Amino acid sequence: MVKRLLRRNETYLCFVVIAFCATVTAVNPAFFTLQNFFDLLHDSSGSAILAVGFLVILLSGGIDVSFPAVAIMGQYIAVKALIALHVSSLALALAISCGVGLVFGAVNAFFISFFNISTLIVTLGTSGLFYGAMLQVLGSAGVYASVLPNCFKVFGRTNVFQLKTLTGSSYGLSVFALVLAGVVILSWIILRRTLLGRVIYAMGGNMEAVRRSGVNIRAIQFFMYCYMGLLAGVMGVMSGSLIQYSDPTYIVDTELLPVLAGVMLGGASIMGGAGTITGTLLGMALIALLEKNLVLLGIPSYWDQFFVGVVLVVGVSVTHIQRRIRGRRQLSLLRE
Amino acid sequence: MNTKRSNNLTLLVLFVLVSGVMVVSLPTIFPSLRNMQNMGRQLPEYGLLALANMLAMITGGIDLSVVSITSLSGVLAGLVLSSYQTIGLPTDLTIGIAIAVALCAAFLCGIFNGALVAFAGVPAIIATLGSNGLFLGVAVVLTKGAGIIGFPPAFLFFGNGNVLGIPTQFLIFVVVASLVGLLLNKTTQGFRMVMYGTNPLVSRFSGINNEMVVVKTYILSALLSGIAAIIMISGVNSVRPGYGSDYLLLSVLIAVMGGTDPAGGFGTTLGVVLAIFVLQVLQSGLVILGFSPFFRKSAFGFLLLLIVVFQFYRSRYFQLRLSSAAAREKLQV
Amino acid sequence: MADNVLEVKHIFKAYQGVQALRDVSLSVGRGEVHCLVGENGSGKSTLIKVIGGVVAPDRGEIVIGGRAHARLQAIEAIREGIQIIYQDLSLYPNLSVSENISLNQMIEKGVRLTTRKKMQALAAKGLEEIGETIDLDERVENLSIARKQIVAITRALTQGAKLIIMDEPTTAITRGEVEHLFSVISGLKARGISIVFVSHKLSEVFEIAESVTVLRDGNKVGDYPAAELDDAKLTFLMTGQSFTSSPYRFDETRRGEPPLLEVRGLTKTGQFTDISFSLWPGEILGIVGLVGSGRTEVALTLFGLNSRDAGTILMDGKPVDVKSPEEAAKLGIAYLPEDRLNQGLFVARAIGDNIVVTILKSLLSRLRLIDRPKRREVENRWIERLKIKTPTAAAAAFGLSGGNQQRVVLAKWLATEPRVFILDGPTVGIDISSKSNIHEIIRNLAEHGMAIVMISDEIPEVLRNCNRILVMRKGRIEREIRNVHEMTEERLFDVVTARRPEEVQ
């Protein structure tokens, strides 16, 4: 049992996360508080949801770089629609945002499954096409808090429960954490308990064999890319609610690299077939900690980027050098 | 062979078509000298990065760190340039040093990427994603997150000057693109890159030093980014880490549109240069016609999908012809 | 013949005007082991695909269990109990043994929800039925090829197979494993399951099959009881020609000269131990041994692709350290790998590119650029010398037949003017008729003073072309055979497989 644990990437990642937390706490005890933890969850749940969706695609051997565009489109279209309709309904906002995500995902899946084009290229193309079209039609003006439909503001501030600090200010666990938990459980069930999930893993291992098994690969591709779109739609609404502002140029530049980095650190293979939800969440946690908590160590925030880079480079190098050494023993350095 | 040529032909037709539409709809403005110069000024920045990604893709890799390398080399060159009044060296020498520093920095970045891919065995897409963060991080730390301004006026020649009415950076681009073409068609490194990209295992069994080929590829790709950095900071007379981040996906997109196979082994300089021209004509035309930059983005995405779908049908056609030829041959023997 | 599991009647199939199958019929009885043999391109794989419903025939019908189909869908074939095990086995390397066994079955039944336990139960039951034990949680990529085969067979059985078609199942496994596989097959036979065995390795055909169907050029040559066939007769049926050749004679007086290559005490833990031999110019030295005997590993060490723990390699009496293929090439050592399509040839590239890749440096002009006319001249010279059938050097290697492709790989290395040429499986996957041409080229090279090492699975090939043979087993040189012309195929086969250990002593 211990041996199995020690073979797993997640175990080491867990150590790194704990070590990081210990270091920060030693320097600045303000880190190790429930409040800081809750804040971190509030800020990072959205990215973690994207990462889980991205993992599903990666497991099948694909890649999807369109999710930031999907998220922001879902959010902005939902905000604009709600303003135009003069309603403030979270359900409607989510329905619109997720609907945008589903359509987007279906278009991606269409190009991928019917034309057999590289998934990277397809998602690069569709995100440019749709995102540009949306901005052309709807404009690119940000929607400020004063105009933002109330449901977003409420959603961003709602807590599951409230606590009070020693100084008397109140804080709580955001509903975002519940949304994340829901997504994690659903995705875990899909990947671990359904045949679909096993087939997704199998696709990343040997696509040709899956094809021969008679399974409807096209349907699975539609499912995966739509699922990613759906999660991006949810994240879009959460992101707008978090910052209480809807800027159509926001998520596009900021989410792609951290999510990719987190999933990679979590031990998922870019070739598909390997990776776990636990690893992905740990990887995202490490990225979030690095991005948001270096300040507590007294390091100026302009160092953030540098440390994220160092961790990513070291993390992936160690994994791959390990794999290479293991491979060399079996004379498979000949396998490129 | 045929596929390569016909892809370039498609792009040429597309180029003529798009140019034709622009000339017809904007008969006075589009073909004007001013517009030509403008296009010549804009295209080299991302054009060089697209060539950089083409080289990486030919070996079956990708270079996601091109923009960060421009940031890092730009910042280092900027630090030298902005101190031209304090260090008291002749201006020309300072500029020379700045360019050398930028290219050296790019060179080192290239070695770093190459080592990660070749020796640590990290897939290029993750390796360069990581180094992308790292290089940008170093650049941000060097400037403490701020920008650098105030370069010697003579330096602005690279990004704003003309030679015989032709923008300097366009001339630089033409020279560099020709060198890249020469590299791929006429040098051992170019030949080995293509062979390595086609099948790394066969390449190893053919006595090719795979690691050296890969490291050199990423050095070349980084050097192209370094040259882009000089043009870029000269053009805007300042440097800010992260400037031009839009160019990253654009450079990948152009490389693919130019007929480079992301799986490795195939790609031509001419194809990529044609793709750059198509995009530039489209971009300038749409700006003059009053379309927003967003529409341009949309049009690029559409074009990319159009071309890859077209490539899909064409390759299927060629495959049919090839396989029937192969079958016929086999039955004859 | 009411008891036939499968009957294929008068099948025709053409691809873009090329007739791949012409009026081919085949019937397989219940519990029968049937062999399908033919050269590459004879239509074997097309026929399998027709039976599996992957390819639709142009004419003819397929009768399964008494029901006739003009056009069979892949999923129907599976439901009718036909399972094809392709050479690559179609397993999922990143999934566990139990998942591999149970997944396809669950897909077929349309199961949606599952647990590890359910999958394990299914897999355990399947393995038990054929009396095998494999760790159910082990990832398939960590298993040996023979174990993977067992997993694939178990998967086929749990899907209700009545007929299992195995495509070249014995090419990559050791003799002992082949015997194990055959015992598993006998077990299946006893349960009334039929097996179609597709092979081009002649000797095995007799061992397991009851009847043999021979294909040639898309035509059926005929059905024969296995007992009536022997090697020579089968070769004749498959190729339409018979081959005779005299053994290669080496001028033994040359052994007075110092050897060109000397290997002393070469050892790598876990791969090979204490390998020593010498090689003289003009020799063709055969190395035979089962897969896993360490023969390829030794060759890779000489070529700089594998390290060594101990021992020395000498060229012209001087110790050399070969660290990479590049250095090997400089020393005059060339290596033709066994896996032509993945290691030897850039299939997607031009024939000319393939030929000059090893000698780029010699093509440079004074400006250090590749000189095109020089390049063309070299390419055309080799195409002509090795008689590679192509209209132009610019044609892709993809379109060539196996024999011509192998000539391109030979040309690639001959261009470096090697002094020692190691050939690992020089005629693997090549038609019998082209084989003798390749052999002729090799013997010609040796006659002109090149030292050749020929590693091969095929005992007749080694016997006919080598003047000296080393037999390797379990990483050691078991025996050196100098008087090759006195050796028979049967005796060498027994030495290699250690069937009669007393004779080896």
Side-chain angles (χ1 to χ4, degrees):
Chain A
M1 189 64 202
V2 176
K3 241 186 194 168
R4 276 225 165 141
L5 270 180
L6 279 178
R7 263 202 311 201
R8 294 183 59 157
N9 191 37
E10 287 88 339
T11 318
Y12 295 101
L13 200 56
C14 205
F15 285 140
V16 174
V17 171
I18 292 171
F20 182 86
C21 292
T23 317
V24 182
T25 313
V27 177
N28 190 341
F31 169 80
F32 203 70
T33 59
L34 205 54
Q35 183 179 7
N36 190 36
F37 177 67
F38 283 175
D39 281 351
L40 203 66
L41 259 179
H42 191 203
D43 291 345
S44 318
S45 292
S47 308
I49 288 175
L50 292 180
V52 170
F54 187 72
L55 173 73
V56 173
I57 306 255
L58 210 58
L59 284 175
S60 75
I63 197 166
D64 184 347
V65 294
S66 70
F67 63 83
V70 180
I72 197 63
M73 278 177 72
Q75 178 199 110
Y76 197 61
I77 291 174
V79 168
K80 284 282 188 179
L82 260 57
I83 293 175
L85 294 168
H86 300 290
V87 289
S88 170
S89 152
L90 185 64
L92 185 61
L94 277 171
I96 294 172
S97 187
C98 291
V100 169
L102 286 174
V103 170
F104 211 121
V107 174
N108 280 337
F110 168 77
F111 280 105
I112 288 164
S113 61
F114 283 88
F115 298 107
N116 202 16
I117 307 170
S118 136
T119 52
L120 173 71
I121 305 304
V122 168
T123 51
L124 199 61
T126 53
S127 54
L129 172 62
F130 290 118
Y131 178 62
M134 176 194 80
L135 292 180
Q136 176 71 25
V137 175
L138 293 180
S140 62
V143 176
Y144 291 93
S146 52
V147 203
L148 195 71
N150 205 38
C151 61
F152 284 91
K153 288 184 251 181
V154 174
F155 185 42
R157 282 197 300 255
T158 308
N159 286 335
V160 183
F161 54 80
Q162 293 281 346
L163 295 169
K164 279 217 187 317
T165 57
L166 294 172
T167 53
S169 57
S170 75
Y171 65 98
L173 176 67
S174 163
V175 288
F176 286 8
L178 282 190
V179 180
L180 174 62
V183 167
V184 166
I185 292 169
L186 180 64
S187 307
W188 187 86
I189 291 173
I190 292 172
L191 288 180
R192 288 275 146 197
R193 282 280 179 267
T194 68
L195 203 67
L196 175 69
R198 294 290 88 196
V199 175
I200 289 174
Y201 271 92
M203 281 165 77
N206 186 349
M207 190 64 165
E208 192 49 40
V210 175
R211 209 164 270 142
R212 285 181 194 152
S213 77
V215 84
N216 187 346
I217 290 180
R218 209 162 267 175
I220 294 177
Q221 277 169 334
F222 270 89
F223 168 79
M224 288 190 306
Y225 289 89
C226 286
Y227 188 63
M228 173 85 251
L230 185 83
L231 294 187
V234 173
M235 185 277 179
V237 173
M238 284 167 69
S239 168
S241 307
L242 176 70
I243 59 169
Q244 310 270 301
Y245 172 59
S246 182
D247 174 359
T249 60
Y250 180 53
I251 300 173
V252 183
D253 286 338
T254 57
E255 286 296 334
L256 180 60
L257 297 185
V259 166
L260 249 80
V263 177
M264 290 301 154
L265 275 181
S269 161
I270 193 88
M271 314 298 185
T276 60
I277 291 183
T278 323
T280 299
L281 291 177
L282 283 168
M284 288 307 290
L286 190 57
I287 295 283
L289 284 167
L290 277 172
E291 280 186 333
K292 310 242 156 66
N293 286 289
L294 284 174
V295 182
L296 296 176
L297 284 175
I299 298 170
S301 67
Y302 56 77
W303 281 91
D304 292 358
Q305 181 74 49
F306 175 77
F307 280 106
V308 172
V310 169
V311 167
L312 186 56
V313 167
V314 173
V316 297
S317 305
V318 168
T319 331
H320 284 91
I321 290 172
Q322 264 178 351
R323 265 180 220 169
R324 205 161 229 220
I325 292 169
R326 223 178 300 144
R328 199 157 278 175
R329 233 173 273 147
Q330 305 160 354
L331 220 154
S332 61
L333 87 157
L334 302 176
R335 222 180 290 137
E336 291 288 331
Chain B
M1 297 295 121
N2 280 332
T3 1
K4 251 200 270 182
R5 211 170 295 150
S6 92
N7 189 55
N8 289 350
L9 201 66
T10 316
L11 286 163
L12 191 65
V13 169
L14 204 62
F15 174 66
V16 172
L17 217 69
V18 175
S19 309
V21 170
M22 292 306 167
V23 171
V24 169
S25 46
L26 298 158
T28 50
I29 311 172
F30 191 80
S32 71
L33 180 66
R34 217 183 117 212
N35 184 44
M36 289 295 154
Q37 285 182 332
N38 269 340
M39 294 203 292
R41 244 179 245 306
Q42 288 163 16
L43 142 179
E45 293 189 0
Y46 62 84
L48 289 169
L49 300 185
L51 288 175
N53 254 311
M54 172 191 78
L55 292 181
M57 275 187 199
I58 282 178
T59 62
I62 193 167
D63 192 345
L64 297 180
S65 67
V66 282
V67 173
S68 294
I69 295 176
T70 32
S71 284
L72 184 53
S73 345
V75 163
L76 285 167
L79 286 173
V80 175
L81 288 169
S82 62
S83 60
Y84 76 105
Q85 279 165 327
T86 51
I87 52 174
L89 287 173
T91 314
D92 287 354
L93 186 61
T94 316
I95 292 174
I97 294 174
I99 293 175
V101 165
L103 294 181
C104 281
F107 186 82
L108 292 175
C109 290
I111 290 188
F112 186 82
N113 280 338
L116 276 183
V117 176
F119 296 108
V122 184
I125 188 168
I126 324 174
T128 55
L129 176 72
S131 63
N132 174 66
L134 190 64
F135 300 154
L136 186 62
V138 174
V140 173
V141 169
L142 284 173
T143 65
K144 299 201 167 66
I148 301 172
I149 47 164
F151 299 155
F155 179 70
L156 305 186
F157 170 72
F158 296 107
N160 293 294
N162 290 323
V163 177
L164 305 171
I166 303 167
T168 324
Q169 65 260 59
F170 187 72
L171 288 176
I172 296 176
F173 174 77
V174 169
V175 171
V176 172
S178 316
L179 287 175
V180 170
L182 202 65
L183 169 87
L184 285 180
N185 289 312
K186 285 272 180 179
T187 67
T188 49
Q189 165 69 8
F191 192 95
R192 286 178 182 147
M193 280 167 68
V194 171
M195 297 311 250
Y196 170 83
T198 308
N199 188 331
L201 195 51
V202 179
S203 144
R204 190 184 288 288
F205 270 94
S206 303
I208 292 177
N209 186 339
N210 282 355
E211 285 79 12
M212 272 325 280
V213 172
V214 171
V215 170
K216 281 187 191 164
T217 302
Y218 285 92
I219 290 175
L220 288 166
S221 150
L223 283 176
L224 290 175
S225 313
I227 298 170
I230 294 162
I231 292 172
M232 240 186 254
I233 66 172
S234 166
V236 291
N237 193 16
S238 68
V239 52
R240 182 175 58 78
Y243 174 79
S245 60
D246 267 4
Y247 288 160
L248 172 55
L249 295 188
L250 189 63
S251 70
V252 174
L253 185 150
I254 294 175
V256 173
M257 265 177 65
T260 319
D261 182 353
F266 290 89
T268 63
T269 319
L270 184 63
V272 174
V273 169
L274 280 171
I276 295 169
F277 283 178
V278 170
L279 277 202
Q280 187 57 49
V281 167
L282 195 66
Q283 162 141 330
S284 300
L286 291 174
V287 168
I288 306 172
L289 286 168
F291 286 99
S292 69
F294 313 124
F295 184 79
R296 256 154 40 208
K297 212 171 191 147
S298 188
F300 291 174
F302 179 72
L303 212 57
L304 176 68
L305 290 173
L306 192 76
I307 286 183
V308 288
V309 168
F310 181 75
Q311 280 169 354
F312 166 76
Y313 280 114
R314 198 189 43 212
S315 75
R316 212 160 63 162
Y317 168 74
F318 273 107
Q319 231 154 40
L320 281 183
R321 282 197 6 191
L322 267 175
S323 63
S324 75
R328 226 171 281 134
E329 148 107 15
K330 258 177 204 150
L331 289 188
Q332 274 167 10
V333 171
Chain C
M1 294 280 270
D3 210 26
N4 278 349
V5 177
L6 170 80
E7 264 185 80
V8 176
K9 290 180 180 165
H10 310 292
I11 295 285
F12 287 79
K13 174 72 196 173
Y15 290 110
Q16 285 113 35
V18 180
Q19 200 71 38
L21 289 176
R22 202 178 290 115
D23 194 16
V24 173
S25 303
L26 173 78
S27 58
V28 182
R30 220 175 95 84
E32 184 194 2
V33 178
H34 194 106
C35 243
L36 185 60
V37 296
E39 290 196 79
N40 292 321
S42 62
K44 282 179 305 186
S45 36
T46 309
L47 184 58
I48 298 176
K49 284 180 185 158
V50 167
I51 298 170
V54 183
V55 164
D58 298 335
R59 251 195 291 163
E61 60 174 11
I62 304 159
V63 186
I64 306 174
R67 235 180 314 157
H69 303 258
R71 163 81 176 100
L72 195 67
Q73 296 292 334
I75 195 84
E76 281 178 304
I78 293 172
R79 296 227 167 92
E80 295 279 7
I82 292 180
Q83 285 285 330
I84 302 179
I85 299 178
Y86 291 95
Q87 207 178 346
D88 64 14
L89 303 178
S90 301
L91 294 173
Y92 312 112
N94 58 328
L95 298 187
S96 70
V97 169
S98 60
E99 287 168 334
N100 266 283
I101 294 175
S102 55
L103 194 64
N104 285 16
Q105 183 185 0
M106 291 182 154
I107 290 172
E108 190 201 330
K109 284 187 187 147
V111 175
R112 289 191 193 283
L113 294 174
T114 179
T115 62
R116 208 180 98 189
K117 275 201 181 128
K118 274 189 214 164
M119 296 183 120
Q120 279 185 334
L122 271 175
K125 198 171 139 240
L127 282 170
E128 204 186 288
E129 274 177 31
I130 56 167
E132 295 284 330
T133 45
I134 301 178
D135 180 3
L136 294 175
D137 288 330
E138 188 60 77
R139 278 162 161 254
V140 160
E141 62 193 344
N142 299 332
L143 301 178
S144 69
I145 295 175
R147 304 294 269 172
K148 284 180 189 162
Q149 252 171 10
I150 298 293
V151 172
I153 293 173
T154 313
R155 176 171 75 183
L157 287 178
T158 54
Q159 278 188 269
K162 290 183 200 130
L163 170 69
I164 299 179
I165 302 173
M166 299 179 82
D167 192 4
E168 306 273 7
T170 56
T171 34
I173 60 179
T174 66
R175 187 64 221 168
E177 290 166 337
V178 170
E179 262 152 33
H180 183 79
L181 176 70
F182 286 175
S183 79
V184 170
I185 288 178
S186 321
L188 299 181
K189 189 174 144 71
R191 287 168 52 190
I193 293 165
S194 317
I195 311 282
V196 173
F197 204 83
V198 182
S199 181
H200 74 270
K201 270 203 202 168
L202 307 177
S203 51
E204 278 162 17
V205 171
F206 312 119
E207 211 166 315
I208 184 143
E210 290 146 59
S211 44
V212 179
T213 299
V214 182
L215 293 184
R216 190 202 311 154
D217 288 344
N219 292 307
K220 177 166 155 178
V221 180
D223 292 314
Y224 308 89
E228 284 180 14
L229 292 175
D230 59 30
D231 226 24
K233 195 167 173 200
L234 194 56
T235 304
F236 177 75
L237 292 172
M238 278 163 68
T239 60
Q241 352 176 352
S242 38
F243 295 91
T244 46
S245 63
S246 52
Y248 179 70
R249 296 269 177 194
F250 169 66
D251 177 9
E252 290 291 336
T253 57
R254 294 192 72 169
R255 252 191 247 290
E257 299 167 26
L260 178 54
L261 172 78
E262 238 185 304
V263 177
R264 285 189 203 147
L266 209 62
T267 299
K268 173 149 188 185
T269 317
Q271 291 184 358
F272 49 81
T273 318
D274 197 18
I275 302 295
S276 303
F277 64 88
S278 302
L279 186 65
W280 278 267
E283 264 201 302
I284 304 181
L285 173 68
I287 300 184
V288 291
L290 303 168
V291 172
S293 62
R295 39 174 218 187
T296 295
E297 287 79 356
V298 171
L300 289 177
T301 304
L302 294 177
F303 190 56
L305 276 177
N306 192 11
S307 59
R308 61 188 144 129
D309 297 335
T312 39
I313 302 169
L314 299 104
M315 281 287 278
D316 297 317
K318 277 179 240 128
V320 291
D321 191 12
V322 197
K323 283 208 199 90
S324 68
E326 217 180 351
E327 287 175 35
K330 264 185 216 145
L331 287 166
I333 301 174
Y335 174 71
L336 177 137
E338 185 174 14
D339 187 345
R340 183 170 60 247
L341 297 180
N342 292 311
Q343 301 177 337
L345 188 73
F346 294 99
V347 184
R349 302 236 67 101
I351 294 164
D353 289 354
N354 272 290
I355 294 174
V356 299
V357 66
T358 49
I359 48 153
L360 289 175
K361 285 215 174 104
S362 68
L363 303 176
L364 294 180
S365 64
R366 268 197 300 175
L367 286 167
R368 313 272 306 145
L369 299 175
I370 295 171
D371 185 347
R372 192 153 301 203
K374 218 192 263 178
R375 187 184 150 171
R376 292 275 169 263
E377 190 267 316
V378 170
E379 291 172 1
N380 291 330
R381 176 153 40 98
W382 283 107
I383 288 175
E384 208 176 303
R385 264 178 78 171
L386 293 189
K387 301 191 181 72
I388 298 166
K389 261 192 210 160
T390 178
T392 154
F398 169 77
L400 295 178
S401 66
N404 276 308
Q405 286 183 342
Q406 194 71 311
R407 282 170 218 223
V408 174
V409 184
L410 282 169
K412 163 173 114 176
W413 281 112
L414 291 177
T416 66
E417 295 170 0
R419 296 195 296 153
V420 176
F421 202 167
I422 306 166
L423 306 158
D424 197 349
T427 57
V428 169
I430 289 176
D431 300 339
I432 294 178
S433 39
S434 326
K435 264 186 190 176
S436 57
N437 288 325
I438 302 264
H439 290 152
E440 219 169 284
I441 294 174
I442 294 169
R443 292 165 75 140
N444 198 355
L445 290 171
E447 273 157 18
H448 284 84
M450 198 179 287
I452 307 249
V453 177
M454 184 193 276
I455 300 172
S456 179
D457 260 344
E458 293 182 36
I459 283 171
E461 171 173 54
V462 175
L463 273 180
R464 273 178 218 145
N465 295 293
C466 300
N467 61 293
R468 192 153 60 99
I469 298 172
L470 300 177
V471 180
M472 280 189 72
R473 194 175 333 131
K474 289 182 185 158
R476 290 177 179 276
I477 294 183
E478 197 64 45
R479 194 159 153 187
E480 181 183 346
I481 298 161
R482 281 174 174 273
N483 44 351
V484 174
H485 49 279
E486 289 167 15
M487 200 73 184
T488 64
E489 283 179 28
E490 288 72 27
R491 275 182 50 212
L492 185 54
F493 189 77
D494 290 342
V495 175
V496 170
T497 56
R499 274 240 190 107
R500 291 174 219 156
E502 70 279 4
E503 203 172 294
V504 178
Q505 294 309 314

